Amino acid sequence: MTDVLDLIKSRKLAYEQKVLSLAHAAENSVDVLHIPEKTKYYFEKNAIDHLFEGNAPYRPRYILPDYDKFIENGSEFLQLDPPKDLDELLNSLMILYRHVPSITSFPVYLGNLDKMIEPFIAEYSDDEVRKKLKLFLNYLDRTITDSFCHANLGPEYTRAGRLILEVEKEVQNAIPNLTLKYNPDITPDEMGELALNTSLFCANPAICNHKLNKDTYCCDYGIASCYNILPLGGGAYTLSRIVLPKAAKLAKNIDDFFHTILPDCLQSMGDYMNERVSFLVEESGFFESSFLVKEGLIDKDKFVGMFGIVGLADCTNILLEGTGKRYGHDADADDLADKIMHTISDFVTSFPAKYSPIAEDHFMLHAQVGMDYDKDVTAGVRIPVGDEPENISDHLRHSARFHELIPTGCSDIFSMETTARNNPAAMLDIVKGAFSLGVKYISFYEENSDLVRITGYLVKKSEMEKYRNDQVVLQNTTQLGAPNYDSNKLDQRKVRGV
Amino acid sequence: MKPALIHKIIPHSIVDGPGNRTSIFVQGCNLKCAYCHNPETQQVCSNCGICVEKCPTGSLYFENGEVLWEEEKCDSCGSCIQHCPYHSSPKPKWMTAEEVFKEVEKNIPFIRGITVSGGECTLYPEFLQELFILAQKAQLSCLIDSNGTTDLSQYPKLMEVCSGVMLDVKAWDRKKFKRLTGGENEMVKKNLKFLAHTNKLEEMRIVCIPGEVDVEDILEGIKTTIGDKSRNIKLKLIKFRNHGVKGRLKNTNSPSDEYMKDIQRKALEMGFQHVNIT
């Protein structure tokens, strides 16, 4: 129990962070999942990784409530009538968010905010709405102390969406992450340009390729946590990942990788995920007791298991060691990476997943973006930081190729020169081009920005500096972000001049 | 196929016209502006070879009396330009329109057009026309960035495939123009009128230096020459910066922000409606 005592005595954790860490320690004091020896071996080698989700799953990892239904019906459990005006709406949402669980215990999805707010602002001036939004957004930032939290905008232009972006630029908050669902046929250039320009002042919002993502499920989708594309009114039970470079290191050669190590890891991870989902659905009682289920805000049949992969670049480079060929720079390397992706995708789209009708009884591939303890593991299918191609056109063509097989979230991040602020139309041209080729999700920040995107979530450089100096910080993602920023040398991310 | 001497190609540029564009810079200019901020594009290499001795990476060498450049070895240290008595560069390459377009093509669909700049790109009118025909087929808009000293009305086929010209109006008074650039400005005025009347004037640019450039005189001149057309054409007031300048004005300071705003206000008062400061 030393760990528990260490948590209690910690000088770096805020009170709430201690409570959550202690809950995690309590969960890990029980053993309820059956894990075969072989799977344990791959866990030990970190070739597969359960991401410390905990030993006894008692809530889904990511939940995306149907907020429209909540706004229409109110909530019996929370004793809330349907909101009649903007104050009631924002207040009701603040209450509901507090009761949406997740792997971090904070809500990871806040809804399509602009569309939720738009019907309530007709009678207010821009300044009046801005003031209310500012209070609302600051409340979220200071109480949801974890950046794995996401609100969506678009794809249509709304006055509410414009005002949210204007306030966001002013408040410079890390939370929530914002994403604009963007479709050039629906979203006016003016809105796309405003979003991109805002992102060069506060690293928010990111831009999601609405055309390519909207038909991922038979129901509507939302973007949750970092950038996970998940069914609305459901979410994700769990996310595990295969750490491809660690798997590659276990292989004697390329043949051994494809014929033994990779299939073994995939099978072990698939079985393990089914084990987690089974316990959550059959034994934890979550779906029987949560008011979110009873009031129809979520439905068990709209949850998926996210099958994560990370470090495709490093894996490819390890397998090609000695040839001088590199992922993102040589056709042979990219073809090998493509073969790895197809092998994984073929497994995932045929392996039977439990309780996953929305995904036709399979798990779904996700480009996991890394953990604070990763070293030499590049996010998802990205090109390693510092090794990016000289021309952003080559970079984006590469992204488009490797985003293709990943339905539940795959993204790229670009650091931009300050001058890009002067020409939002140029930024939009790049996004339009990238999306037309198949890039699914993209985000930008300005090179000197205090707010930076680590892997998918936002952290302030100034807060990381405090944390490095052993000060208590408000947001627990700062604790994840600081080591990640350092060990992945994110300050060396190639700055693009457009 | 008439080639042009190409100084460099910037795959993505946000400062050379609307949206994201590939910018092509030609080598060689017929003016010698005292404030030129890329003087290394003015002169064509004379093959004197001084840079060859000074190149630390050995990427420059002599062959048949010509200075040649091995791109792979070069680390872009700038030593060649620094030591050139003419502030020139040995690196530009003669390229055909097709060769340049191959470079442009790599950036489709991320760009909405191309801009050819310099040096002075209108010194290569046939090349421009060939390049623009290729670019237009790929639905790219084609802009010329020019000092206005080539009689563009003499190239109707080029103007047909050119989407617009971004024209420098460096001075209105003949003597002031001569002092600033070493050249004559009658043709600039003729082009201003011609481009405005054929709806090919994309933008007018003035580099602002108090005491050196009489901006109000230029604005008056433009207004008198093209009348109401001036209202809807973009006017860019460029704040002089001495970064990279090697000419007479290399030690001159930038005008203040207040000066720039004052000039902008005057331009607006005179009826110019789209006035930007950069």
Side-chain angles (χ1 to χ4, degrees), chain A residues 437-448:
Chain A
L437 294 179
V439 167
K440 288 186 169 166
Y441 188 99
I442 195 168
S443 65
F444 301 93
Y445 63 87
E446 184 263 333
E447 56 178 326
N448 302 313

PDB file of all heavy atoms in Angstrom, chain A residues 437-448:
ATOM      1  N   LEU A 437      -8.195  14.840 -50.183  1.00  0.00           N
ATOM      2  CA  LEU A 437      -7.355  13.657 -50.412  1.00  0.00           C
ATOM      3  C   LEU A 437      -7.617  12.547 -49.406  1.00  0.00           C
ATOM      4  O   LEU A 437      -7.144  11.427 -49.576  1.00  0.00           O
ATOM      5  CB  LEU A 437      -5.872  14.051 -50.331  1.00  0.00           C
ATOM      6  CG  LEU A 437      -5.349  14.991 -51.420  1.00  0.00           C
ATOM      7  CD1 LEU A 437      -3.894  15.300 -51.179  1.00  0.00           C
ATOM      8  CD2 LEU A 437      -5.539  14.375 -52.798  1.00  0.00           C
ATOM      9  N   GLY A 438      -8.325  12.861 -48.321  1.00  0.00           N
ATOM     10  CA  GLY A 438      -8.637  11.802 -47.361  1.00  0.00           C
ATOM     11  C   GLY A 438      -8.111  12.021 -45.959  1.00  0.00           C
ATOM     12  O   GLY A 438      -8.260  11.156 -45.095  1.00  0.00           O
ATOM     13  N   VAL A 439      -7.480  13.168 -45.692  1.00  0.00           N
ATOM     14  CA  VAL A 439      -7.092  13.480 -44.311  1.00  0.00           C
ATOM     15  C   VAL A 439      -8.384  13.630 -43.502  1.00  0.00           C
ATOM     16  O   VAL A 439      -9.323  14.283 -43.941  1.00  0.00           O
ATOM     17  CB  VAL A 439      -6.245  14.773 -44.249  1.00  0.00           C
ATOM     18  CG1 VAL A 439      -6.105  15.270 -42.817  1.00  0.00           C
ATOM     19  CG2 VAL A 439      -4.870  14.518 -44.865  1.00  0.00           C
ATOM     20  N   LYS A 440      -8.425  12.974 -42.325  1.00  0.00           N
ATOM     21  CA  LYS A 440      -9.694  12.937 -41.600  1.00  0.00           C
ATOM     22  C   LYS A 440      -9.835  14.012 -40.537  1.00  0.00           C
ATOM     23  O   LYS A 440     -10.948  14.346 -40.129  1.00  0.00           O
ATOM     24  CB  LYS A 440      -9.860  11.558 -40.952  1.00  0.00           C
ATOM     25  CG  LYS A 440     -10.161  10.476 -41.980  1.00  0.00           C
ATOM     26  CD  LYS A 440     -10.470   9.145 -41.331  1.00  0.00           C
ATOM     27  CE  LYS A 440     -11.012   8.179 -42.373  1.00  0.00           C
ATOM     28  NZ  LYS A 440     -11.014   6.802 -41.883  1.00  0.00           N
ATOM     29  N   TYR A 441      -8.712  14.517 -40.062  1.00  0.00           N
ATOM     30  CA  TYR A 441      -8.784  15.440 -38.922  1.00  0.00           C
ATOM     31  C   TYR A 441      -7.448  16.157 -38.812  1.00  0.00           C
ATOM     32  O   TYR A 441      -6.394  15.538 -38.962  1.00  0.00           O
ATOM     33  CB  TYR A 441      -9.051  14.614 -37.673  1.00  0.00           C
ATOM     34  CG  TYR A 441      -9.353  15.371 -36.414  1.00  0.00           C
ATOM     35  CD1 TYR A 441     -10.665  15.538 -35.982  1.00  0.00           C
ATOM     36  CD2 TYR A 441      -8.334  15.878 -35.617  1.00  0.00           C
ATOM     37  CE1 TYR A 441     -10.949  16.205 -34.804  1.00  0.00           C
ATOM     38  CE2 TYR A 441      -8.609  16.549 -34.439  1.00  0.00           C
ATOM     39  CZ  TYR A 441      -9.919  16.702 -34.035  1.00  0.00           C
ATOM     40  OH  TYR A 441     -10.202  17.354 -32.864  1.00  0.00           O
ATOM     41  N   ILE A 442      -7.498  17.462 -38.572  1.00  0.00           N
ATOM     42  CA  ILE A 442      -6.254  18.229 -38.602  1.00  0.00           C
ATOM     43  C   ILE A 442      -6.342  19.376 -37.591  1.00  0.00           C
ATOM     44  O   ILE A 442      -7.423  19.893 -37.339  1.00  0.00           O
ATOM     45  CB  ILE A 442      -6.022  18.761 -40.045  1.00  0.00           C
ATOM     46  CG1 ILE A 442      -4.606  19.246 -40.245  1.00  0.00           C
ATOM     47  CG2 ILE A 442      -7.012  19.830 -40.422  1.00  0.00           C
ATOM     48  CD1 ILE A 442      -4.281  19.496 -41.723  1.00  0.00           C
ATOM     49  N   SER A 443      -5.219  19.725 -37.014  1.00  0.00           N
ATOM     50  CA  SER A 443      -5.244  20.872 -36.105  1.00  0.00           C
ATOM     51  C   SER A 443      -3.959  21.670 -36.225  1.00  0.00           C
ATOM     52  O   SER A 443      -2.924  21.158 -36.655  1.00  0.00           O
ATOM     53  CB  SER A 443      -5.471  20.420 -34.662  1.00  0.00           C
ATOM     54  OG  SER A 443      -4.381  19.658 -34.223  1.00  0.00           O
ATOM     55  N   PHE A 444      -4.057  22.931 -35.823  1.00  0.00           N
ATOM     56  CA  PHE A 444      -2.923  23.859 -35.951  1.00  0.00           C
ATOM     57  C   PHE A 444      -2.751  24.638 -34.662  1.00  0.00           C
ATOM     58  O   PHE A 444      -3.704  24.848 -33.915  1.00  0.00           O
ATOM     59  CB  PHE A 444      -3.192  24.871 -37.076  1.00  0.00           C
ATOM     60  CG  PHE A 444      -3.427  24.252 -38.420  1.00  0.00           C
ATOM     61  CD1 PHE A 444      -4.719  23.963 -38.846  1.00  0.00           C
ATOM     62  CD2 PHE A 444      -2.370  23.948 -39.265  1.00  0.00           C
ATOM     63  CE1 PHE A 444      -4.955  23.386 -40.096  1.00  0.00           C
ATOM     64  CE2 PHE A 444      -2.591  23.378 -40.513  1.00  0.00           C
ATOM     65  CZ  PHE A 444      -3.884  23.096 -40.920  1.00  0.00           C
ATOM     66  N   TYR A 445      -1.543  25.070 -34.410  1.00  0.00           N
ATOM     67  CA  TYR A 445      -1.321  26.108 -33.405  1.00  0.00           C
ATOM     68  C   TYR A 445      -0.169  26.976 -33.872  1.00  0.00           C
ATOM     69  O   TYR A 445       0.602  26.583 -34.743  1.00  0.00           O
ATOM     70  CB  TYR A 445      -1.081  25.528 -32.004  1.00  0.00           C
ATOM     71  CG  TYR A 445       0.144  24.658 -31.835  1.00  0.00           C
ATOM     72  CD1 TYR A 445       1.378  25.210 -31.525  1.00  0.00           C
ATOM     73  CD2 TYR A 445       0.063  23.273 -31.946  1.00  0.00           C
ATOM     74  CE1 TYR A 445       2.500  24.409 -31.358  1.00  0.00           C
ATOM     75  CE2 TYR A 445       1.168  22.465 -31.779  1.00  0.00           C
ATOM     76  CZ  TYR A 445       2.390  23.036 -31.475  1.00  0.00           C
ATOM     77  OH  TYR A 445       3.487  22.244 -31.311  1.00  0.00           O
ATOM     78  N   GLU A 446      -0.091  28.162 -33.283  1.00  0.00           N
ATOM     79  CA  GLU A 446       0.941  29.118 -33.699  1.00  0.00           C
ATOM     80  C   GLU A 446       2.220  28.808 -32.931  1.00  0.00           C
ATOM     81  O   GLU A 446       2.169  28.433 -31.754  1.00  0.00           O
ATOM     82  CB  GLU A 446       0.413  30.530 -33.428  1.00  0.00           C
ATOM     83  CG  GLU A 446       1.301  31.646 -33.892  1.00  0.00           C
ATOM     84  CD  GLU A 446       2.185  32.193 -32.782  1.00  0.00           C
ATOM     85  OE1 GLU A 446       1.786  32.084 -31.605  1.00  0.00           O
ATOM     86  OE2 GLU A 446       3.262  32.711 -33.090  1.00  0.00           O
ATOM     87  N   GLU A 447       3.357  28.964 -33.575  1.00  0.00           N
ATOM     88  CA  GLU A 447       4.619  28.483 -33.012  1.00  0.00           C
ATOM     89  C   GLU A 447       4.929  28.985 -31.608  1.00  0.00           C
ATOM     90  O   GLU A 447       5.524  28.265 -30.818  1.00  0.00           O
ATOM     91  CB  GLU A 447       5.781  28.830 -33.967  1.00  0.00           C
ATOM     92  CG  GLU A 447       5.871  30.313 -34.290  1.00  0.00           C
ATOM     93  CD  GLU A 447       7.061  30.654 -35.190  1.00  0.00           C
ATOM     94  OE1 GLU A 447       8.093  29.998 -35.065  1.00  0.00           O
ATOM     95  OE2 GLU A 447       6.947  31.580 -36.004  1.00  0.00           O
ATOM     96  N   ASN A 448       4.530  30.221 -31.287  1.00  0.00           N
ATOM     97  CA  ASN A 448       4.864  30.775 -29.969  1.00  0.00           C
ATOM     98  C   ASN A 448       3.718  30.668 -28.965  1.00  0.00           C
ATOM     99  O   ASN A 448       3.786  31.233 -27.880  1.00  0.00           O
ATOM    100  CB  ASN A 448       5.248  32.246 -30.104  1.00  0.00           C
ATOM    101  CG  ASN A 448       6.419  32.417 -31.046  1.00  0.00           C
ATOM    102  OD1 ASN A 448       7.406  31.691 -30.936  1.00  0.00           O
ATOM    103  ND2 ASN A 448       6.307  33.340 -31.990  1.00  0.00           N
TER     104      ASN A 448
END
